[in-house]
Amino acid sequence: MSDSRASGPDAAARFHPASSLDYVPREQLRRLQSQRLKEVVSRVYDHVAFYRRRMDQLGVTPSDIRSIDDVDKLPFTLKSDLRDEYPFGLFAAPLGQIVRLHASSGTTGKPIVAAYTQHDLDVWKNVMVRTFAAAGLSEGDIVQNSYGYGLFTGGLGAHYGAEALGATVIPTSGGNTDRQIMILKDFGVTAICCTPSYFLHVLDRAAEIGIDVRHLPLRVGVFGAEPWTEAMRRRIEELAGIKAYDIYGLTEIIGPGVGAECSGQNGLHIFEDHFYPEIVDPETGRPVPEGADGELVITTLTKQAMPMLRYRSRDITAFLPGSSPSGRTLRRIRRIFHRSDDMFIVRGVNVFPSQIEEALLRVEGTLPHYQITLTRQRGLDDVDVQIEVTPELFSDRVSAMENLQQRLAKAIEQTVNIRVNVSLVEPHSIARSEGKARRVIDKRDL
Amino acid sequence: MKISQISLFLENKPGHLSSVCQTLADAGISIRTLSLADTQRFGILRLIVEDWKRAKAVLEATGCVVNVTDVVATEVEDRPGGLAALLRPLEESGVNVEYMYAFALGNKGRATMVFRFDQPDAAIEILKKSGVSVLGSVNLFRPAT
C-alpha cells in the first residue's frame, strides 16, 4: 500500500464506488435532494390517501414544493400514524410491485410494517454497502452477521449490504452464543454485526469458556439497533481489541443504513441523498438552532413502496458542526443514546438508562449487567437499580461490598439527581435478551 | 502456611445457600468449615474446603462469582484469655482482623480459628514468634488421629 493511500480517508479499506456519493459537493447534493423531494411528494400525494388528506389539511400541494428548503411545509408522520394505517395503508406502490415486507418487533400492539419495491431493496443495499465501507470493511473481510434474520430489518439489511460490498457473509443470525463464538474463532471472522449489548454478552461468554477475543482476527464491530454510549464503545474496544462503529436506522425509514460512522468515529453521517434529516424541537415541531439538541425527523427521498414525509423518529440528537475527518460531505448527527421512548420520568425528573450506564462505568470502570425497576408506593416513585456482581466487583469483605453499593448509588444519584436504591444481585439473575436489552421495568400503575 | 478460602456472593433468598451446598455435595467436596456474613440484602459465604480449586470450578460452572482469599488458621487454647493472648501481639503490630470464624470441631482442649487479616504474611510471622501454632493444609485436612 502506498503512503498516499494510507493517509487518505478510511485508509484501511479499498474504496467502493458506492461510497462516492458520501463525498458529493453540498451544492450538487442540494440539487439532487430538491429534485427527489419533488418526486416523492408527488408520488405520495397521488397514491397515499393519508398524505393527500394531511397535505390538503395544511393547504399544501405538490406544486408548492420547489426545493429541499420547502420540506418544512410538509406534514409530519408519527409512529401512531403507522399504527393507524396498519398494515398497508401507507403504501405508495401496488402490491404487485412490492417484493418484500418487514415488520418491527413491536413491544406493544401491532408491529410497524416496512415495504420494499425492487428499487427500494437496491437503495437499501447501496446504503448498507456505504455503511460497511465507512467502517473500513471491503472485499476480503469475513462478516459474521448476528443480527436476527426474519421480520426484523437488521439481519437481511446487513446481509445483502455486506454481500454487495464483496465481503464473505456468515448468516449466523442471533442466539446460540457458544456457536457464535465457535464460528468467530474457527472461521477467522474479521467483522461482526449485532446489537452492542449482545456483543458484550458474547464477550462475557467467551471469557467464561476461556477465549480471549483480542487474540482472534476480529477487528471491526458494526453495532446498532439500540442506543449505546461512548463509554460502552470504549469498553467493547478494549475488551475485544476491535474498532466499534455505530450505525443508525429504523424500520419506518428502511431499516439499518440511515446513517453510519466513518473512521473518525465522531458522529454518524446520514445518507442524505436518500434520507433527508431535520432536527426539531420535540414539543413544538419547529427546527432547533443549528447544533442544538432535538428530535431527528427524516424524509425518505427515494423510497417507492412506503415513502415517509418528515417521520418523527423520537431519537434525540444534534447536527455536528465542522467537517468529517474522512472527508465525507454528508452531515453528521451525534450518536443517539437518548431515545425519547426509553426515557422515564421519576418524581418529575427525566431519566435515560444511558445516564445510569455512564455512572456505573465511572465507578468501577466496568459495565455490569443491570436493570432498572420502577415501583410506586403510596404515590411515591422508587427506582431500584439491580446490578449483577461480577468477579471484579466481588469482595469477601462485607464492608467492601456495602461500600461498593453506596458508591454506585451515589454515582447514579449525582448523574440523574434522584435518589435510587442499588441492589447487588447474583450473576446471570437478570434476564438476557438476544436482541435489544430491556433495561427498564416499569411496575408503576401510572 | 496460608489457607485458601473461597467466598461467594449470595442474594438473601430462600434456596440459594442450599443450592451451593448441593453443588459441592454432588461434586463430592466436603465443607471443612464455613461462615456466612449476612446483610439486609445479600450474604457472603466463605468456605474452607480441601480442594478449593475444584470447588471454585464447579461453583463457577453454575454461574457463581467466586473469590479466593488467603486466610490463616491457628489453634487457640480453649481457656479464658486464650484468644485475647493470641490477638494482643497482632494488635500491637497494627495487623487488623477483618473477620474470623471457628472450625466446627476442636480437639484436645484447643479450638481452631480462621482469621482474615489485612496483612496475612505479617500476621503469620507474629503468631509464630509468640508461639501460636499456625496450621497448614496438612494439619487441617488430615489431622492426626
Side-chain angles (χ1 to χ4, degrees):
Chain A
M1 190 189 293
S2 73
D3 286 345
S4 61
R5 274 204 65 148
S7 59
D10 305 332
R14 251 171 282 180
F15 186 79
H16 193 283
S19 297
S20 54
L21 268 160
D22 294 4
Y23 301 91
V24 72
R26 294 295 307 178
E27 197 42 47
Q28 194 184 328
L29 179 64
R30 247 182 69 83
R31 283 199 299 276
L32 188 65
Q33 289 171 331
S34 296
Q35 179 55 38
R36 287 177 168 178
L37 182 67
K38 284 188 268 185
E39 286 166 12
V40 75
V41 169
S42 293
R43 182 178 189 89
V44 296
Y45 193 81
D46 291 346
H47 297 292
V48 185
F50 166 84
Y51 278 121
R52 177 187 282 262
R53 206 165 55 234
R54 283 289 168 91
M55 286 174 63
D56 287 347
Q57 280 165 5
L58 292 175
V60 183
T61 63
S63 60
D64 294 325
I65 307 304
R66 295 195 186 88
S67 83
I68 194 70
D69 294 335
D70 294 322
V71 71
D72 59 6
K73 293 179 178 162
L74 295 166
F76 286 121
T77 310
L78 305 177
K79 190 167 189 171
S80 56
D81 296 327
L82 275 75
R83 296 203 197 287
D84 293 346
E85 298 293 328
Y86 175 86
F88 299 162
L90 292 174
F91 288 8
L95 269 179
Q97 287 173 25
I98 289 171
V99 297
R100 177 103 63 82
L101 295 175
H102 278 280
S104 75
S105 41
T107 42
T108 52
K110 298 285 190 189
I112 296 298
V113 176
Y116 307 79
T117 62
Q118 186 55 53
H119 160 87
D120 295 342
L121 288 181
D122 292 342
V123 167
W124 196 11
K125 197 160 65 184
N126 171 276
V127 289
M128 284 310 293
V129 166
R130 290 157 70 183
T131 293
F132 288 123
L137 300 183
S138 59
E139 190 188 314
D141 271 299
I142 302 173
V143 177
Q144 180 161 337
N145 184 16
S146 309
Y147 282 121
Y149 280 64
L151 278 180
F152 172 52
T153 52
L156 289 178
H159 179 98
Y160 287 112
E163 265 187 12
L165 178 76
T168 307
V169 184
I170 312 167
T172 49
S173 193
N176 198 340
T177 306
D178 283 10
R179 194 183 55 185
Q180 300 272 1
I181 294 166
M182 181 190 77
I183 288 172
L184 202 61
K185 181 168 165 278
D186 295 351
F187 292 12
V189 168
T190 59
I192 188 165
C193 312
C194 58
T195 60
S197 61
Y198 182 62
F199 188 65
L200 275 177
H201 176 58
V202 168
L203 290 178
D204 261 6
R205 181 63 192 151
E208 267 173 28
I209 59 179
I211 292 172
D212 189 343
V213 174
R214 281 173 301 190
H215 296 148
L216 303 182
L218 188 71
R219 61 180 184 86
V220 168
V222 179
F223 302 119
E226 68 184 12
W228 53 306
T229 59
E230 201 52 40
M232 198 160 158
R233 185 212 311 266
R234 284 195 296 275
R235 174 141 176 86
I236 285 174
E237 291 195 333
E238 185 191 312
L239 281 177
I242 64 171
K243 283 277 192 188
Y245 293 94
D246 191 16
I247 63 169
Y248 178 68
L250 51 181
T251 308
E252 298 88 324
I253 299 304
I254 201 155
V258 175
E261 282 187 331
C262 64
S263 52
Q265 289 183 309
N266 180 19
L268 295 99
H269 290 284
I270 299 289
F271 297 112
E272 284 182 85
D273 46 325
H274 295 292
F275 312 114
Y276 185 76
E278 299 169 82
I279 293 179
V280 304
D281 181 326
E283 303 287 324
T284 65
R286 292 202 195 93
V288 296
E290 187 69 28
D293 275 22
E295 179 181 351
L296 181 64
V297 171
I298 300 167
T299 299
T300 66
L301 297 175
T302 50
K303 262 176 67 183
Q304 294 179 339
M306 205 173 114
M308 286 283 124
L309 299 187
R310 305 190 81 201
Y311 182 70
R312 300 281 298 256
S313 71
R314 304 171 313 286
D315 287 325
I316 307 297
T317 183
F319 283 124
L320 294 182
S323 55
S324 166
S326 68
R328 283 178 170 76
T329 52
L330 302 173
R331 268 186 295 178
R332 287 173 301 160
I333 56 166
R334 195 186 57 217
R335 64 188 290 118
I336 288 157
F337 48 89
H338 289 179
R339 183 160 262 191
S340 55
D341 287 6
D342 291 331
M343 191 188 80
F344 54 92
I345 302 175
V346 180
R347 293 171 229 148
V349 178
N350 294 352
V351 181
F352 293 97
S354 55
Q355 292 175 291
I356 289 180
E357 216 162 88
E358 292 280 354
L360 294 181
L361 271 152
R362 211 171 53 236
V363 175
E364 293 302 311
T366 74
L367 185 61
H369 206 69
Y370 72 96
Q371 194 164 60
I372 301 156
T373 308
L374 307 175
T375 53
R376 177 169 286 181
Q377 278 175 0
R378 289 190 293 275
L380 274 180
D381 291 340
D382 273 324
V383 184
D384 194 46
V385 184
Q386 294 95 39
I387 299 166
E388 284 187 2
V389 169
T390 60
E392 296 137 307
L393 295 179
F394 179 52
S395 162
D396 62 309
R397 293 181 302 130
V398 172
S399 58
M401 294 305 283
E402 286 180 334
N403 196 295
L404 170 72
Q405 215 168 11
Q406 281 164 13
R407 279 205 315 279
L408 291 167
K410 203 169 168 195
I412 295 169
E413 281 167 35
Q414 281 171 350
T415 313
V416 298
N417 289 316
I418 48 164
R419 221 184 54 74
V420 300
N421 300 315
V422 166
S423 308
L424 298 173
V425 299
E426 286 172 21
H428 307 289
S429 59
I430 298 172
R432 300 291 198 277
S433 73
E434 301 287 6
K436 301 184 188 199
R438 193 166 171 223
R439 298 301 195 190
V440 184
I441 309 288
D442 197 340
K443 292 181 178 166
R444 296 176 298 183
D445 202 7
L446 293 175
Chain B
M1 299 294 249
K2 283 172 290 189
I3 309 287
S4 294
Q5 166 197 269
I6 62 172
S7 45
L8 286 90
F9 181 85
L10 286 182
E11 279 175 64
N12 277 354
K13 284 184 182 164
H16 285 224
L17 179 58
S18 65
S19 82
V20 169
C21 295
Q22 192 59 50
T23 301
L24 293 174
D26 292 346
I29 294 168
S30 175
I31 300 170
R32 208 50 196 87
T33 187
L34 61 82
S35 132
L36 179 64
D38 66 307
T39 71
Q40 208 179 341
R41 287 178 161 173
F42 61 84
I44 299 170
L45 179 66
R46 298 107 175 203
L47 298 164
I48 303 286
V49 297
E50 184 169 1
D51 191 351
W52 66 266
K53 283 180 184 158
R54 201 159 66 82
K56 181 172 187 282
V58 297
L59 289 169
E60 281 177 342
T62 68
C64 290
V65 164
V66 182
N67 236 356
V68 180
T69 326
D70 288 337
V71 292
V72 179
T74 70
E75 288 191 330
V76 183
E77 285 193 43
D78 192 6
R79 59 162 176 87
L83 182 59
L86 181 146
L87 292 175
R88 201 170 302 119
L90 293 163
E91 280 162 18
E92 283 162 4
S93 311
V95 174
N96 195 29
V97 178
E98 305 265 11
Y99 55 82
M100 54 184 275
Y101 50 98
F103 257 59
L105 298 171
N107 59 355
K108 294 173 194 160
R110 284 165 191 270
T112 303
M113 300 290 300
V114 177
F115 294 89
R116 161 72 148 101
F117 294 111
D118 55 353
Q119 308 161 57
D121 293 313
I124 289 170
E125 283 312 303
I126 294 160
L127 289 167
K128 279 184 174 167
K129 264 187 218 157
S130 46
V132 174
S133 107
V134 177
L135 304 173
S137 305
V138 177
N139 319 83
L140 270 185
F141 301 112
R142 297 192 184 78
T145 43

